[in-house]
C-alpha cells in the first residue's frame, strides 16, 4: 500500500483568524495568517485567492480544512461563532480542485487529533479543549477521532459560575477573558486574576471529566497557554470536586497551542489518504 506523507495544505479556520500551513513530508514549512472574514462568501473568495496566489495546487496530495462548527458529509451544518449554516463548503473547493482530495472536519476534533499525535498518545481516551473565540471540545479514542463525539459542543453546556448561569464559553473563552481583564489571556500574570480564570476553567472540567472519563486532557488555542499560568489553581479546584472513584486525568497544554489544529489537519488528511488508497 502506498503511504502518503508528502505535500498537504492545511487550513485552520477560527472565529477570529484563519491560519494556512503547508506540510512537506510531515514538516510544517510555511504559514500564512489572515483575519477570518465574517461573511461566508467573503471567506471563500479570500481563501481561494490565497490558495491560487501562494501555492502550487497541482503538487498537493490533499487539502485539509478545519471549521469551528458541526460538519456533516463535507457540509457546514452549524457554525455558531461565524453564523454559517447549511453551507456546502466541500462543493465549493471541488469546483476548482477537481483532482485534489479535500477533507473538512470540526476544528476541535482536529485539534484533539493533533494533540494526541504530537504527544504519541495512542491508546485510551483524550479530551481536547480550545480556549479561543469560543470554547471547542474534541475527543479521541484509541488514536482516532471518536465519531460519536464529533458533534460534542462542550463550550455550549450550561453551567454555574458563582451566581451566574450561562454557557461555559460565555464564562471562560479566550474572548470572554480578554473582555473582562482587558488583555489577551496569555499575557495575564497577576495572581488574583489567574485564580479567577482557573475557577472559570474548572467549572466546566468538573462536568466533562466525570462524564467522559478521559485519560488525558489537552488545552490548545490562542488562550491555551494561560492554563500553564493557572495550572496549579485549576488542579486544586478540580481535586476538591472530582470524586475519588473517578480516575484523575493528566492535564496539560499542547506543545504548540497555535499550531496544533494544523497538525491535526495534516494527520487527518494522511489517515484518509492512506485508508482510501
Amino acid at each position: 500500500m502506498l503511504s502518503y506523507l508528502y505535500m498537504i495544505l492545511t487550513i485552520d479556520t477560527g472565529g477570529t483568524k484563519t491560519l494556512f500551513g503547508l506540510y512537506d513530508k510531515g514538516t510544517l514549512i510555511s504559514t500564512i495568517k489572515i483575519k477570518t472574514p465574517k461573511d461566508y462568501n467573503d471567506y471563500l473568495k479570500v481563501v481561494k485567492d490565497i490558495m491560487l496566489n501562494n501555492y502550487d495546487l497541482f503538487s498537493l496530495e490533499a487539502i485539509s480544512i478545519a471549521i469551528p462548527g458541526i460538519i456533516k458529509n463535507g457540509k457546514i451544518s452549524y457554525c455558531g461563532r461565524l453564523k454559517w449554516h447549511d453551507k456546502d463548503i466541500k462543493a465549493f473547493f471541488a469546483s476548482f480542485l477537481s483532482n485534489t482530495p479535500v477533507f473538512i472536519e470540526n476544528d476541535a476534533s482536529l485539534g484533539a487529533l493533533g494533540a494526541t499525535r504530537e504527544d504519541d498518545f495512542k491508546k485510551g481516551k483524550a479530551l481536547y479543549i480550545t480556549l479561543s473565540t469560543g470554547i471547542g471540545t474534541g475527543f479521541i479514542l484509541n488514536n482516532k477521532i471518536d465519531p460519536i463525539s464529533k458533534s460534542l459542543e462542550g463550550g455550549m453546556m450550561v453551567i454555574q459560575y458563582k451566581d451566574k448561569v450561562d454557557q461555559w464559553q460565555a464564562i471562560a473563552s479566550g474572548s470572554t477573558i480578554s473582555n473582562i481583564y482587558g488583555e489577551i489571556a496569555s499575557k495575564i500574570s497577576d495572581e488574583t486574576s489567574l485564580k479567577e480564570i482557573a475557577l472559570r476553567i474548572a467549572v466546566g472540567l468538573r462536568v466533562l471529566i466525570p462524564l467522559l472519563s478521559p485519560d488525558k486532557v489537552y488545552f490548545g488555542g490562542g488562550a491555551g497557554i494561560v492554563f500553564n499560568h493557572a495550572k496549579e489553581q485549576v488542579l486544586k479546584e478540580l481535586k476538591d470536586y472530582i470524586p475519588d472513584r473517578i480516575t484523575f486525568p493528566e492535564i496539560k497544554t499542547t506543545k504548540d497551542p497555535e499550531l496544533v489544529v494544523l497538525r491535526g489537519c495534516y494527520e487527518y488528511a494522511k489517515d484518509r489518504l492512506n485508508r482510501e488508497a
Side-chain angles (χ1 to χ4, degrees), residues 100-121:
T100 305
V102 178
F103 305 116
I104 300 169
E105 190 50 87
N106 171 265
D107 62 340
S109 292
L110 293 171
L113 187 64
T116 53
R117 294 289 174 88
E118 70 181 15
D119 197 34
D120 199 29
F121 179 67

Side-chain angles (χ1 to χ4, degrees), residues 96-161:
F96 67 97
L97 295 166
S98 57
N99 295 318
T100 305
V102 178
F103 305 116
I104 300 169
E105 190 50 87
N106 171 265
D107 62 340
S109 292
L110 293 171
L113 187 64
T116 53
R117 294 289 174 88
E118 70 181 15
D119 197 34
D120 199 29
F121 179 67
K122 296 179 179 179
K123 280 195 172 184
K125 297 178 288 185
L127 172 65
Y128 170 82
I129 299 168
T130 173
L131 302 173
S132 50
T133 307
I135 292 180
T137 48
F139 198 72
I140 296 295
L141 179 62
N142 295 331
N143 206 32
K144 301 289 183 183
I145 296 172
D146 179 21
I148 297 176
S149 67
K150 278 189 176 184
S151 299
L152 179 67
E153 289 286 351
M156 293 185 180
M157 64 182 179
V158 177
I159 56 177
Q160 182 170 352
Y161 169 71

